[in-house]
Amino acid sequence: MSDNQREAGTIILDPTHASFAPEETVHDLGATHFIGIGGAGMSVLAEMLHEQGVEVDGSDREPSAKTDRLQSLGITVEFGQQAKNVEGKNTVVFSSAIKPDNPEIVAAHEAGERIVHRSDILALLMNAKRAVTVAGAHGKTTTSSMLAHILVNAGEGELADPSYAIGGSIQGKDGAILDGGHAGKGNVLVAEADESDGSFAKYHPQIAIITNSEADHLDHYGTQDNYRAAFVDHAGHATKAVIMCGDDEGNLAVLRALDATVAGRTIVYSTRNAAELGDLNGATLVRIESESETAESGAEHFTLHIPGGLIGEEERRIAVTLTVPGIHNARNASAAIIAAALLGMDVERASAAVTSFLGAARRFQVRGTVSQVTVVDDYAHHPTEIAALLDAARRRYPQSKIRVIFQPHLFSRTRFFSSDSRSACQADDVIVTGIFPAREKQEDFPDVTPATIVDEALKLEHEPAKDWIRGVEDMHTAAQMMVMRAHHGDVIFTVAPATSRRWTRSSCMLLKRIVGIARADGSTGHQFRQGCAGDGPVGRTTFRTVHLIGACRRTVD
C-alpha cells in the first residue's frame, strides 16, 4: 500500500495519487481483485486485464448484466463484499464509490496488499499504447465510442484492432449491444478520462480530447475555477495534440489559460468562426459548417472545414453524415474524425466510417414503437446534456409530444444544478423521480428530493410548472402516472442512470402482462419481449414497461 494510505494508522483512499512507477506494466499486478467489478468503469478494465492474461476476479453487491458478462468470460465474481474475497491477492482495485471502511479495503490494508484506484489501472494500460483520452462534462462516452468505431471499422495496420476502455456499451447492428472494453492487438488505446474525482491527472496520452469544461462535480472541486484548472493540467499532459470544442465557454477559458507551447498544438473545432470565438491563444481552428438535420430520420449532416497545414498542405472540406441526431453529435464526431486523422488515418476514410455509428448505448437509443408511441432511452444527467437531448428530440420529432421520466443522478449534482430547470422546458410533460444516489447517501442530503427540481421549475415565469412537471419519489408510481397521459404519436424519453436489477425483474413481469394486452388489442409489442429474463443491460426493460403502459392506455382506461 502507498504511504499516503497509511497515514496515522488510518486508511486514506486518494484517487489522485499515482500508485505505479513509470516502468511498471499490467504484468506486475499479480492476482488482481476489483471491488465493485460490475461498475461501468470497473468491468471494462477487468475485462481488458483478463484479455492480457492477468489473473482477475472481483466482487459486487448484486448480479447485473456486467457481472453476467464477466462470469461468461471466466472471471470469478463474488456477490457481497467481505474480507475473504481479497485473501491471497496482490493488487486490490477500488473506484471512487468505495469507502475506506469497506471490509475488503480493510482486509487488504491489514494484509499489506497494494490498493490502487481504477485510474491507476487505466494509466498502466495507456503506457504501452498510443493513447487518446476523452474528457469533459458531457460527450465522453459518445466521442470515445465514435473514435473506437472509426478505428475498428476503417483502421489499417497499427490502427486496426484498437484497444478501448469506454464507460458504457455501444449499439451494434440488429440491436446488438457491444461491450465498452477491448484489449486489441493494435497500438492505439481510446479511453474515457473521468474528471469527476481528479484522477485523470495521472494520464499522459498522445492526444487529449476535451469535449467541454462546463462546471460539474463541484462536490469534489468546490469551484468552477478549480474545475477548469484541472483541465488545464490535463491538457498539458498530452504529448502530441489537444483537441477541444470551441462552442463551450468553459473550454475557451481553459484554452486561454494554456501554456503557449500546449496551445500551439491545440486544435479547436467549432460551429463558430474565428471572429466570434475571439482569442484562440495560437490554436488551430477547424470549422463545423452547413450543419442540418433531416426531420423524422434524425440524419445529421455537416461539413468539416480543415485548414491547410493540419493534415496536409491543402485545406479540406469533408462532408459528414451521421445516423445519430443532434448538433452535439456533430461536435462529438468532429473530435473523433480529427483524432483519427492525427493518428494517421485518411480523413475521408474516417468520416465515411463514422456514418455507420449507431450510438453509444442509452444515448438517444430508440427502444421501439408500440401503438404509435416511440420509446427512447438516454443517460443525460447534467442540465446541458438534457437540453441537448430535448433539442435533438424536437428536431427529430417536430410534430410529437415529448414526455420525459427523469431520474436525477447524485444528490450533490441535484443541489448544485436544481436552479437550471429550464433545460427541461422543451418537454411537454416531465415526471421527476427519486434521485439515484450512486456513491452518495440520502441522509447526507436530507433537503434534496424530486421536489428540489420541481420547486425551482415553479419559479419559471413563462409556463405554469404545475401543468408540465411534477415529482414522484417512486418510479412505479411514475409509471402509473404516465399511463394516464400518453397518446398515439407521443415520444417518451426515459432519462436516468441504471436502476436496480430487482426493479427491472418486477417491471418485466408487468411488461409481459402489458404486451399480452397490446397483442390482444391488435397492436405490436413483440420487439419489447427480449431481455425480460433480467439478463439485459440494467435498466433497459424497466423503461420499456413505463412506455408500454402508456402506449396501451386505451386498453386500461
Side-chain angles (χ1 to χ4, degrees):
M1 177 178 291
S2 304
D3 289 341
N4 76 330
Q5 294 171 317
R6 292 187 180 277
E7 187 175 300
T10 61
I11 302 175
I12 298 174
L13 301 181
D14 181 3
T16 66
H17 174 77
S19 297
F20 297 112
E23 66 273 12
E24 290 188 277
T25 72
V26 295
H27 301 295
D28 296 312
L29 291 171
T32 301
H33 177 85
F34 284 77
I35 305 176
I37 197 170
M42 297 285 270
S43 62
V44 167
L45 297 179
E47 183 170 343
M48 293 183 72
L49 292 184
H50 176 73
E51 287 186 4
Q52 294 197 32
V54 178
E55 181 184 335
V56 174
D57 68 7
S59 63
D60 216 313
R61 290 178 297 182
E62 58 184 13
S64 68
K66 294 291 187 184
T67 60
D68 288 350
R69 174 174 174 78
L70 293 171
Q71 290 175 312
S72 74
L73 297 173
I75 297 173
T76 299
V77 180
E78 300 291 344
F79 297 107
Q81 294 172 359
Q82 47 194 327
K84 68 178 184 179
N85 292 340
V86 298
E87 291 177 1
K89 306 305 176 186
N90 301 106
T91 304
V92 174
V93 186
F94 71 96
S95 71
S96 296
I98 303 301
K99 305 303 180 185
D101 61 355
N102 180 283
E104 295 182 7
I105 289 290
V106 173
H109 174 267
E110 292 175 349
E113 297 167 357
R114 180 153 58 176
I115 301 174
V116 304
H117 189 258
R118 63 170 297 277
S119 58
D120 290 299
I121 301 299
L122 184 53
L124 273 187
L125 292 165
M126 287 184 191
N127 289 344
K129 301 283 186 178
R130 297 170 65 194
V132 181
T133 56
V134 184
H138 335 297
K140 289 189 294 292
T141 298
T142 297
T143 303
S144 52
S145 297
M146 282 179 168
L147 179 54
H149 177 89
I150 290 170
L151 295 171
V152 166
N153 289 277
E156 298 176 320
E158 292 184 337
L159 297 185
D161 192 21
S163 299
Y164 46 88
I166 299 166
S169 301
I170 305 171
Q171 296 184 51
K173 294 180 180 179
D174 302 320
I177 299 295
L178 309 178
D179 201 75
H182 173 60
K185 295 180 173 60
N187 73 351
V188 176
L189 167 62
V190 180
E192 283 192 43
D194 181 13
E195 77 284 353
S196 65
D197 53 16
S199 60
F200 72 154
K202 301 173 187 176
Y203 306 147
H204 291 78
Q206 188 175 102
I207 299 172
I209 297 173
I210 302 176
T211 58
N212 49 73
S213 305
E214 183 177 11
D216 198 0
H217 307 295
L218 298 183
D219 55 323
H220 174 78
Y221 290 98
T223 68
Q224 176 176 267
D225 288 345
N226 291 340
Y227 182 76
R228 291 176 178 173
F231 282 95
V232 173
D233 178 68
H234 176 66
H237 291 174
T239 59
K240 179 175 182 177
V242 180
I243 302 171
M244 302 177 67
C245 181
D247 290 344
D248 174 63
E249 293 303 318
N251 263 8
L252 292 179
V254 169
L255 174 65
R256 291 160 189 158
L258 294 179
D259 176 87
T261 302
V262 179
R265 57 175 182 263
T266 296
I267 300 159
V268 174
Y269 57 97
S270 179
T271 59
R272 297 186 283 177
N273 60 38
E276 293 172 312
L277 290 170
D279 178 21
L280 292 180
N281 197 17
T284 301
L285 175 63
V286 172
R287 285 287 312 283
I288 301 171
E289 300 175 339
S290 306
E291 184 272 334
S292 65
E293 183 178 331
T294 304
E296 304 298 338
S297 74
E300 181 77 18
H301 310 277
F302 64 96
T303 298
L304 207 56
H305 182 187
I306 303 173
L310 182 60
I311 57 172
E313 293 302 317
E314 302 296 324
E315 70 176 34
R316 308 278 294 275
R317 281 184 167 83
I318 308 298
V320 183
T321 296
L322 302 178
T323 303
V324 290
I327 179 62
H328 60 295
N329 278 319
R331 297 183 182 108
N332 295 336
S334 297
I337 292 168
I338 294 167
L342 293 179
L343 288 169
M345 183 179 291
D346 177 76
V347 68
E348 291 191 4
R349 185 177 178 86
S351 64
V354 80
T355 299
S356 60
F357 177 72
L358 299 179
R362 303 204 61 234
R363 271 69 173 178
F364 213 109
Q365 185 171 0
V366 178
R367 296 297 189 184
T369 300
V370 176
S371 297
Q372 301 175 47
V373 173
T374 299
V375 181
V376 184
D377 191 19
D378 199 277
Y379 182 69
H381 49 274
H382 186 284
T384 300
E385 292 173 338
I386 296 168
L389 169 66
L390 295 179
D391 178 67
R394 285 298 184 195
R395 296 172 72 178
R396 183 163 181 175
Y397 304 109
Q399 305 302 319
S400 299
K401 283 204 169 195
I402 305 299
R403 302 182 186 274
V404 175
I405 293 183
F406 173 52
Q407 183 183 35
H409 183 247
L410 296 177
F411 297 104
S412 58
R413 180 182 283 121
T414 302
R415 174 181 285 169
F416 280 126
F417 298 116
S418 61
S419 60
D420 198 0
S421 299
R422 293 181 184 276
S423 60
C425 289
Q426 294 186 70
D428 297 295
D429 185 14
V430 178
I431 298 176
V432 182
T433 74
I435 297 163
F436 184 75
R439 59 186 177 271
E440 297 178 342
K441 297 180 179 179
Q442 172 74 78
E443 53 261 36
D444 295 330
F445 302 86
D447 59 325
V448 181
T449 68
T452 304
I453 293 175
V454 174
D455 289 347
E456 288 295 331
L458 288 169
K459 301 174 184 178
L460 300 179
E461 298 178 357
H462 72 286
E463 183 91 33
K466 64 181 181 180
D467 293 339
W468 64 274
I469 187 169
R470 65 213 70 201
V472 177
E473 187 67 36
D474 181 63
M475 294 188 75
H476 292 282
T477 304
Q480 295 297 326
M481 291 175 65
M482 192 62 79
V483 167
M484 305 307 297
R485 295 202 290 278
H487 297 276
H488 294 172
D490 291 356
V491 182
I492 307 179
F493 285 79
T494 56
V495 183
T499 55
S500 75
R501 190 172 185 177
R502 184 180 301 113
W503 200 87
T504 302
R505 284 174 171 167
S506 65
S507 294
C508 283
M509 294 174 63
L510 177 58
L511 173 59
K512 289 177 180 178
R513 292 199 297 270
I514 296 299
V515 168
I517 294 172
R519 298 177 78 183
D521 189 50
S523 53
T524 59
H526 62 278
Q527 66 265 47
F528 289 90
R529 295 177 63 194
Q530 61 183 5
C532 285
D535 57 356
V538 174
R540 183 187 306 173
T541 50
T542 296
F543 300 127
R544 294 175 184 162
T545 302
V546 172
H547 302 308
L548 275 169
I549 296 172
C552 303
R553 72 183 290 272
R554 68 188 189 284
T555 69
V556 295
D557 274 352

